């Protein structure tokens, strides 16, 4: 065997071998049907893409907040054992910054996404879309961002300019939401 033929044989052995002897996966899980995938695909983006139909106001959200959220987050969004949601006064640039919705969150649509995805803590994804819009409206109102009767829905929510909208630096500026 010439040196060239030996090199070719070695190349074929190295390149061809992994495909022929690749280990199989652990065979975990099962394929999902498209309907099951779309039930899990509930992401709402900063521009509002993914927001469902529905609507709510802060007045409606107050009752839901008192019944489902106040035990952890305190009355009016502060004073509980969980994260403070409202009442923050110090921006991120202060010596003792507050990380409430009004001082920290850059997009209003993220509030809806977070609530729908993970709240209340003991029963995530148990709120209807209308209840989630109403809670989002209540938290925006508690932070002085909207009026208590302003309707929040897929059209109005993405238009809300959050106080800290310019407070983050994008790692990928070419993909920054508008």
């Amino acid at each position: 065997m010439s040196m060239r033929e030996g090199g070719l044989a070695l190349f074929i052995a190295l390149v061809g071998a992994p495909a022929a002897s690749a280990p199989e996966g652990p065979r975990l899980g099962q394929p999902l049907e498209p309907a099951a995938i779309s039930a899990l695909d509930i992401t709402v983006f900063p521009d509002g893409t993914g927001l469902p139909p529905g609507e709510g106001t802060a007045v409606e959200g107050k009752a839901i907040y008192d019944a489902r959220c106040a035990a952890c987050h305190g009355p009016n969004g502060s004073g509980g054992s969980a994260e403070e949601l409202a009442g923050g006064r110090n921006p991120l640039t202060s010596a003792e910054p507050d990380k409430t919705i009004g001082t920290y969150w850059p997009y209003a649509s993220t509030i809806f996404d977070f609530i729908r995805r993970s709240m209340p803590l003991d029963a995530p994804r148990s709120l209807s879309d209308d209840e989630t819009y109403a809670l989002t409206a209540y938290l925006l109102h508690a932070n002085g961002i909207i009026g208590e009767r302003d309707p929040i829905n897929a059209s109005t929510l993405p238009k809300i300019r959050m106080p800290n909208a310019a407070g983050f630096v994008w790692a990928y500026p070419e993909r920054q939401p508008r």
Side-chain angles (χ1 to χ4, degrees), residues 13-27:
L14 291 174
V15 173
S21 64
E24 292 186 21
R27 295 182 187 227

Side-chain angles (χ1 to χ4, degrees), residues 108 111 136-146 152 157 160 162:
I111 302 164
T136 301
Y138 174 72
L139 294 173
L140 290 168
H141 173 67
N143 281 279
I145 298 169
I146 66 168
I152 294 299
L157 187 58
I160 294 172
M162 297 297 286

Side-chain angles (χ1 to χ4, degrees), residues 16-108:
S21 64
E24 292 186 21
R27 295 182 187 227
L28 297 174
Q30 60 187 356
L32 290 177
E33 297 295 323
I37 292 171
S38 63
L40 296 171
D41 185 15
I42 61 168
T43 301
V44 173
F45 292 90
D47 67 357
T49 301
L51 283 169
E55 186 170 284
T57 66
V59 172
E60 298 161 341
K62 171 82 170 122
I64 298 165
Y65 180 87
D66 289 345
R68 307 291 301 267
C69 313
C72 295
H73 292 283
N76 304 314
S78 64
S81 60
E83 289 291 320
E84 189 173 47
L85 302 173
R89 300 288 177 247
N90 300 320
L92 296 180
T93 54
S94 71
E96 295 183 31
D98 292 315
K99 291 176 92 177
T100 63
I101 288 172
T103 59
Y104 184 72
W105 293 49
Y107 304 105

